[in-house]
Amino acid sequence: MIASVACLLAVVFGACCLLLAAFIGSLLYMVLLHHRLKPAGLARERALLATPLPPDAELPHVVVQIPSFNEGPVVRRGVEAAARLDWPRDRLHIQILDDSTDSTAEIARTVAAELRDQGFDVVALQRTDRSGYKGGALHEAMQQTPYDYFAIFDVDYVPPTDFLRRVMAVFQAEPKAAFVQARFDFLNPHENALTEMQMVTLDAHLGIEQATRWWAGHPLPFNGTCGIWQRAAVEAGGGWKGDTVTEDLDLTYRGWVKGWRAVFLTSVAVPGELPADTQTWLRQQQRWQDGFRHVSLRMFPVIVKSRDIGPAAKGAALLHLCMSLNQPVLLVGVVCGVLAGLLNPALIPALLTAFVVTVAWVIFCATTFLRAGHNFIRHGEMSPGRFAIVLLRFVGGQVAMVTRSLWVHIKKALAPPKPVVFDRTPKKGA
């Protein structure tokens, strides 16, 4: 009986290894696809950005939305950066979506009043009920204005003055685009090894994954900030919702199944602040992972049942959503492997071999993926030695993330169910 249980656990362990290899192998596929599509993709991006805008008197109204919750003085920097955007003043509208419960609320009101005295249309929309969190704030704010274009910036992002001129040009060429997403850049990438690791991983995500998804016609998730949505797409997707902590991914897929597509720009970058301490970063990653799984479970059956999505696009979407299973599969695999080895020590050599092969494959794919992103965005500016240190920090971060995830899920299993709570990422105003 014990031997049979051990064999069953070993089979589950092997299946988990294969799934992880397939999931991580998709990153290698993205690198290969990236290199094949890059020349045409970049040429298309240049053509879109070169699209002429109409005269200033005919430009559309744009609403800049800046969500804020207990951000402190950094809210002033974000709002003032929005006011510096190069766009006709009578067609630029700024909404501070402030749900703060501390002194940030007064800062938001003060900076809004100062800018109104200078002739800007700035309003601080302050809620006492945080229902829906960021998604709820975006939904309520959109109802307060009749305009059609919404530029969204998390409070710590500082858009360049020409952001609207460049990004709105894309809508002239692609009027049916749901949103146009710009690439993140960073205000503090070299603060420590953690911020350098985040720079490298986000460059790979944005430069390889996001750019390639657009070039290949795959579903392109909104990154939550540094992009412009048009109202028709938001409404077609059912509007912003606050029942998940990844409202950006949720709305993206709800709009995508209705036929709305998006554009990603690699050459338009908006700098923002990276978490510089491990605990803050781990909480952020946990929130993203939980939200990704929530949206995946919600959208998976919708995509499978859809008759309007072709097989190739459907496969790309399902593979993307399945990436949310990385941590659960890893956790199940580790537990089953350890138990199988304890119950039947004779299985240990085979289990170790499968584990080592899987880890080697994961390291190879992840290293190739991260290096490709760094070379594409930063042109390989980091020395090989420093890049190796960043990779070691990446491995340590993944181990810490999985360990924390296991502990969080154990606590959730033992505790009474709780409603979804948005855990903000603190900003220092770097």
Side-chain angles (χ1 to χ4, degrees):
M1 178 64 178
I2 292 179
S4 299
V5 172
C7 286
L8 178 59
L9 291 170
V11 169
V12 174
F13 171 78
C16 290
C17 287
L18 289 174
L19 283 173
L20 283 173
F23 293 155
I24 304 303
S26 68
L27 299 180
L28 186 60
Y29 167 72
M30 292 298 286
V31 172
L32 298 174
L33 190 61
H34 171 88
H35 286 300
R36 181 167 69 84
L37 300 177
K38 181 168 67 173
L42 293 180
R44 184 183 174 196
E45 179 175 329
R46 287 192 295 270
L48 289 177
L49 290 171
T51 304
L53 286 168
D56 280 9
E58 299 175 17
L59 289 174
H61 291 260
V62 176
V63 181
V64 178
Q65 297 181 314
I66 305 174
S68 167
F69 175 66
N70 293 354
E71 308 290 358
V74 73
V75 72
R76 172 178 287 276
R77 183 186 66 189
V79 177
E80 290 178 343
R84 289 194 295 269
L85 289 167
D86 179 16
W87 203 252
R89 191 170 294 190
D90 64 330
R91 294 169 184 268
L92 177 65
H93 315 276
I94 301 172
Q95 294 179 329
I96 310 171
L97 316 184
D98 182 52
D99 289 354
S100 298
T101 56
D102 64 2
S103 59
T104 306
E106 181 59 33
I107 296 173
R109 288 192 292 270
T110 299
V111 69
E114 291 173 358
L115 289 172
R116 280 197 300 272
D117 289 342
Q118 299 173 35
F120 292 95
D121 179 14
V122 184
V123 60
L125 301 176
Q126 297 180 306
R127 305 189 307 167
T128 56
D129 176 9
R130 289 189 70 212
S131 57
Y133 303 102
K134 181 179 176 181
L138 290 168
H139 174 77
E140 291 187 24
M142 199 174 83
Q143 313 312 310
Q144 305 298 315
T145 180
Y147 304 120
D148 291 328
Y149 292 95
F150 297 85
I152 301 172
F153 299 102
D154 283 349
V155 70
D156 56 315
Y157 280 85
V158 184
T161 57
D162 64 349
F163 178 87
L164 293 182
R165 294 276 176 182
R166 302 187 72 192
V167 177
M168 287 300 294
V170 177
F171 285 105
Q172 295 296 309
E174 299 281 353
K176 294 298 184 181
F179 64 87
V180 179
Q181 172 73 62
R183 178 174 60 82
F184 301 168
D185 211 332
F186 313 107
L187 294 167
N188 59 331
H190 300 293
E191 183 172 345
N192 55 37
L194 176 63
T195 59
E196 286 190 330
M197 182 268 287
Q198 291 174 79
M199 173 187 69
V200 169
T201 54
L202 285 170
D203 279 349
H205 165 62
L206 295 162
I208 304 299
E209 277 191 288
Q210 291 290 77
T212 307
R213 289 184 188 284
W214 175 52
W215 299 340
H218 294 177
L220 175 65
F222 181 54
N223 288 116
T225 181
C226 308
I228 302 178
W229 278 83
Q230 61 169 308
R231 179 187 291 271
V234 176
E235 292 176 344
W240 294 103
K241 296 185 183 297
D243 55 354
T244 173
V245 292
T246 48
E247 70 293 320
D248 44 10
L249 181 68
D250 181 48
L251 180 59
T252 295
Y253 267 103
R254 283 189 281 112
W256 184 75
V257 297
K258 297 290 182 62
W260 287 88
R261 302 295 181 260
V263 174
F264 181 82
L265 301 175
T266 64
S267 57
V268 179
V270 182
E273 184 181 332
L274 293 166
D277 69 275
T278 301
Q279 288 306 311
T280 298
W281 174 73
L282 285 173
R283 288 198 304 272
Q284 179 196 69
Q285 297 301 304
Q286 186 69 53
R287 185 179 79 239
W288 289 352
Q289 287 283 336
D290 290 347
F292 200 152
R293 281 192 290 274
H294 185 190
V295 174
S296 299
L297 291 171
R298 170 186 289 175
M299 295 307 303
F300 205 94
V302 176
I303 294 170
V304 169
K305 295 175 184 177
S306 175
R307 297 180 179 179
D308 300 322
I309 303 173
K314 189 175 290 189
L318 296 178
L319 179 61
H320 175 239
L321 293 176
C322 280
M323 289 292 285
S324 66
L325 299 176
N326 271 344
Q327 282 194 11
V329 168
L330 177 59
L331 294 172
V332 170
V334 168
V335 170
C336 288
V338 170
L339 290 176
L342 291 174
L343 293 174
N344 187 354
L347 293 173
I348 291 177
L351 294 170
L352 284 177
T353 300
F355 177 76
V356 170
V357 169
T358 303
V359 168
W361 172 250
V362 167
I363 290 175
F364 170 72
C365 292
T367 301
T368 303
F369 175 67
L370 295 175
R371 191 69 186 178
H374 176 63
N375 288 340
F376 177 56
I377 301 296
R378 310 286 165 189
H379 307 291
E381 65 186 25
M382 190 180 291
S383 69
R386 187 61 191 170
F387 193 81
I389 292 174
V390 170
L391 287 178
L392 288 175
R393 184 68 180 82
F394 171 76
V395 172
Q398 297 306 302
V399 171
M401 207 158 48
V402 171
T403 303
R404 187 181 191 279
S405 180
L406 175 60
W407 173 239
V408 167
H409 283 93
I410 289 174
K411 287 200 300 183
K412 285 182 178 179
L414 297 176
K418 294 182 179 179
V420 174
V421 175
F422 187 92
D423 181 18
R424 63 176 282 274
T425 302
K427 317 294 191 311
K428 297 190 299 183

